[in-house]
Amino acid sequence: MTKVSTVGVITLAAAVSLTAIHAVKVRAEQTSPHAHHVTSHTHITLPSDKPDFAAMGDVKQKKTAFFAYLQPMIDRENSTIAHNRGLLEHYFTQHPAPSHGGNAPTEFLENIASQYQLPIPTAGVNAAWQQAILARVDQIPAALVMSQAAIESAWGTSRFAVEANNYFGQWCYTQGCGLFPHQEKGGHFHEVQRFANTQAAVDAYFTNVNTNPAYQALRDIRAEQRAAGTPITSDAAANAMAQGLIHYSQIGEKYVQEIRAMIHDDRQYMPPVNAA
C-alpha cells in the first residue's frame, strides 16, 4: 500500500500552553483511513453516509444515531489491533528474548515499531521492548471512544466534525492541513485537522492515545486491567482507563468525570459491548 504523507496532531483540549502543545504532538495518517495499519483484519460493514445529526430534534434519536454511526469504525480499528496483538504475542512466544542482546527484527516487527513509534533497540528485540510494544498495541473500549467523540464534536454537530470529519478535537501544524488557522504568539499556529473521512479520524485517535506520551497513564491502567483479567473493551475497563485521559483536556479531572458520566448515563443509547 502506498504510504501517505503524515502531519503532527494533538487534541484541541490538550493544550494548556504552547510548550505543552508541542510536547504532545504525534504523527497520524492524513488521508487514507487504513494506511497506517500493519494488518487489516475485519469484515465489519461500515456506514456509507454521515448522518445529519444537527437535523435530529429528538435527543434520544440523535444519541442513538451518533453511537451507531461510530461503532462499526471503532470495532474495525479494535479488530485490527487485536489481530496484530495476537500476531505479536504468538511471535514472542515462539521467539523468546535472549538474556543478552536481542533477536533480529522481522519486517512485521519493524512495521509495528514504526506504526506505534517505538524503535527497536539497536541490539535487537529484547524483553523490555516486547513488554513496551504490547502496552501500546492494545484495544480501547468503544464506550470510552464514543464518549470522547460526543464531547469533542458536540454529538457530531460541530463545524469541525461536519466539514473536516474531526470528531476528537485534533490539531495539525502544516499550513492548509485543516480548518481555522489560529495565530499563536511567536508566529506559531495550528489548524483543526481535516480528515478524508470519519474512519481516518478514528484511526488517528487510536494512534494518538496508543503512542502519545501524554496518555502513558491510560496505557498503564489498561495493562493493569488486562493483568487483572478485566475484558479490555468492557465498561469497567473504560471507566478505569478514563483516568488516563486527564491530560486530554485542560480541565483535567473534570474531563475525566464527564467521560465517566457519559459512559454511565448514555450507555442505554450505545450498541452492546463487544467484550474482548
Side-chain angles (χ1 to χ4, degrees):
M1 183 175 292
T2 302
K3 182 176 177 58
V4 300
S5 62
T6 60
V7 295
V9 299
I10 64 169
T11 66
L12 269 173
V16 178
S17 67
L18 187 59
T19 301
I21 289 173
H22 288 290
V24 298
K25 190 165 57 176
V26 301
R27 292 166 62 87
E29 301 298 341
Q30 185 176 6
T31 56
S32 171
H34 307 301
H36 76 280
H37 289 313
V38 173
T39 303
S40 182
H41 182 74
T42 181
H43 302 288
I44 297 169
T45 301
L46 300 180
S48 57
D49 297 310
K50 180 163 60 176
D52 183 358
F53 298 111
M56 298 178 185
D58 183 271
V59 174
K60 294 180 180 180
Q61 177 196 13
K62 179 185 295 185
K63 291 183 176 182
T64 301
F66 182 79
F67 292 140
Y69 173 65
L70 287 178
Q71 179 81 29
M73 289 175 273
I74 296 168
D75 285 349
R76 183 169 190 161
E77 180 71 4
N78 270 329
S79 177
T80 297
I81 290 173
H83 179 67
N84 288 330
R85 181 183 175 88
L87 292 177
L88 276 175
E89 291 175 331
H90 178 74
Y91 180 87
F92 293 155
T93 299
Q94 297 299 313
H95 302 84
S99 56
H100 299 286
N103 292 321
T106 64
E107 182 179 1
F108 168 70
L109 292 181
E110 289 176 340
N111 288 338
I112 287 284
S114 175
Q115 176 182 331
Y116 285 89
Q117 302 169 37
L118 190 68
I120 296 173
T122 55
V125 179
N126 56 35
W129 187 85
Q130 289 182 356
Q131 182 178 359
I133 196 65
L134 285 173
R136 295 192 178 200
V137 185
D138 209 343
Q139 297 167 294
I140 303 174
L144 184 64
V145 182
M146 290 189 290
S147 295
Q148 277 199 274
I151 293 169
E152 297 291 337
S153 73
W155 295 97
T157 65
S158 71
R159 185 190 175 203
F160 306 130
V162 173
E163 297 185 18
N165 296 308
N166 191 323
Y167 288 78
F168 299 96
Q170 292 172 296
W171 288 355
C172 59
Y173 287 90
T174 301
Q175 194 163 10
C177 62
L179 301 178
F180 291 150
H182 177 69
Q183 193 67 32
E184 298 281 0
K185 293 180 180 180
H188 299 285
F189 75 96
H190 74 265
E191 297 181 17
V192 178
Q193 175 72 34
R194 184 190 298 276
F195 294 99
N197 49 52
T198 306
Q199 182 73 64
V202 171
D203 293 353
Y205 163 85
F206 272 78
T207 296
N208 190 16
V209 173
N210 277 333
T211 63
N212 196 320
Y215 312 125
Q216 181 62 51
L218 180 145
R219 299 191 291 272
D220 291 342
I221 294 169
R222 181 172 59 190
E224 292 170 359
Q225 293 289 299
R226 182 172 285 281
T230 304
I232 295 302
T233 57
S234 67
D235 288 354
N239 275 288
M241 290 162 61
Q243 187 62 44
L245 293 169
I246 194 168
H247 297 304
Y248 203 98
S249 168
Q250 63 186 29
I251 63 175
E253 185 63 33
K254 182 178 178 182
Y255 186 73
V256 172
Q257 295 307 317
E258 286 182 359
I259 293 173
R260 286 175 170 163
M262 185 167 290
I263 292 172
H264 179 269
D265 297 340
D266 293 317
R267 160 45 72 192
Q268 59 187 310
Y269 306 113
M270 298 180 187
V273 173
N274 178 21

